[in-house]
Amino acid sequence: MKIMAFNGSPRRNGNTAKLLKEALRGAAASGADTEYVDLYSLNYKGCISCFYCKRKDKDHGTCIVKDDLSPFLTKAKEADALLFGSPIYFMSLTSGMHAFLERLFFSNYIYSAEIPSVFGKKIPSAFIYTMNVTEEQAKEYHLPQNIAAQEDFADRILGIPPKTLWAYDTLQFNDYSKYESSVFSESDKKAYQEKAGPICLKEAYEIGQSLVQDTTK
Ligand SMILES: Cc1cc2nc3c(=O)[nH]c(=O)nc-3n(C[C@H](O)[C@H](O)[C@H](O)COP(=O)(O)O)c2cc1C
């Protein structure tokens, strides 16, 4: 039983990485083999719209583009559960995560009235989002609606609605005094993170565990 986590943040030890690794720790404690991938360490682009994956005379579910992402698209297809982690950039997913999802989802999505997906099995998944905004601000800026389409496609293509974890009001800098950041209150953020940080880590761990349970359903 294999669970893969994809970090869509360029920061290898940032907020998203911490939560993804905690989710994998939960999955491993429940007996899963795990693999962690830093998408920003790979050289790749999004879908180039070649439609190889849609051709009737070729195998569906194959992205023919060859780059650093290719082996991980194959591995993702073979995995039993998938974790997607992304910081929120301009009230959406990062471009690295978007590009990855274009390649993974489009190549496994058929324009067929009968079968929407070529995965051939249900793959539990989860999205972990980290962001500067508070929960109230996220609602105010319609963030859940902005990223709902990705979750809908995950549901349609992987066959099960994804779980989600929202980590609000994260710390962006170690030392706010070094950066122009007067829109934020470092002390408020730190106070919030002291309470919310451990709760998010616990939720991440539990998501990892629950993905393992879901694969056996
Ligand atoms: C280019 C860029 C754009 C960002 N845009 C937003 C945004 O629109 N909303 C938000 O809440 N946070 C935004 N952030 C903050 C990050 O989402 C937040 O710091 C996140 O927790 C970083 O995750 P990481 O530590 O894993 O990189 C942005 C950060 C960067 C670098």
Side-chain angles (χ1 to χ4, degrees):
M1 221 279 295
K2 170 96 177 272
I3 298 201
M4 292 190 75
F6 294 92
N7 180 20
S9 168
R11 301 206 298 177
R12 292 194 193 177
N13 298 307
N15 301 308
T16 315
K18 281 186 194 125
L19 291 174
L20 279 174
K21 285 177 183 168
E22 193 61 10
L24 284 189
R25 222 168 59 81
S30 297
D33 291 330
T34 64
E35 183 168 352
Y36 181 84
V37 183
D38 269 316
L39 288 173
Y40 277 81
S41 70
L42 307 176
N43 200 356
Y44 68 96
K45 290 198 172 103
C47 173
I48 59 164
S49 199
C50 69
F51 301 127
Y52 178 95
C53 63
K54 304 280 172 284
R55 277 176 58 163
K56 286 184 171 172
D57 59 337
K58 304 288 179 197
D59 275 346
H60 289 304
T62 302
C63 177
I64 201 63
V65 175
K66 294 288 171 246
D67 59 15
D68 288 0
L69 192 62
S70 311
F72 296 103
L73 293 176
T74 308
K75 283 180 166 195
K77 276 188 75 157
E78 290 162 2
D80 299 289
L82 298 171
L83 271 161
F84 307 108
S86 181
I88 295 303
Y89 280 9
F90 293 97
M91 292 302 163
S92 190
L93 306 182
T94 61
S95 55
M97 178 53 73
H98 264 296
F100 166 60
L101 292 179
E102 284 175 14
R103 297 273 296 282
L104 178 70
F105 284 173
F106 197 64
S107 61
N108 290 294
Y109 177 61
I110 322 183
Y111 287 149
S112 152
E114 288 87 39
I115 25 167
S117 166
V118 289
F119 268 101
K121 60 176 180 178
K122 288 188 192 299
I123 302 183
S125 70
F127 281 88
I128 293 181
Y129 310 116
T130 75
M131 68 214 76
N132 256 334
V133 287
T134 62
E135 186 168 3
E136 295 70 36
Q137 289 167 329
K139 284 189 188 129
E140 201 181 310
Y141 293 116
H142 310 291
L143 183 54
Q145 292 92 320
N146 288 357
I147 52 183
Q150 311 304 324
E151 294 172 15
D152 286 347
F153 277 110
D155 181 8
R156 200 180 308 183
I157 295 161
L158 304 176
I160 316 179
K163 297 167 194 293
T164 58
L165 192 165
W166 294 70
Y168 302 104
D169 211 356
T170 54
L171 285 160
Q172 199 164 12
F173 312 120
N174 288 331
D175 180 354
Y176 276 69
S177 69
K178 288 189 179 155
Y179 304 90
E180 175 50 64
S181 52
S182 48
V183 293
F184 303 117
S185 157
E186 182 176 8
S187 56
D188 285 357
K189 270 190 177 286
K190 285 194 167 153
Y192 176 80
Q193 281 306 321
E194 242 170 66
K195 279 195 203 152
I199 296 170
C200 277
L201 281 170
K202 184 168 176 284
E203 278 179 24
Y205 187 90
E206 287 168 358
I207 279 188
Q209 289 184 310
S210 72
L211 286 179
V212 176
Q213 283 152 18
D214 290 348
T215 59
T216 55
K217 276 182 192 161

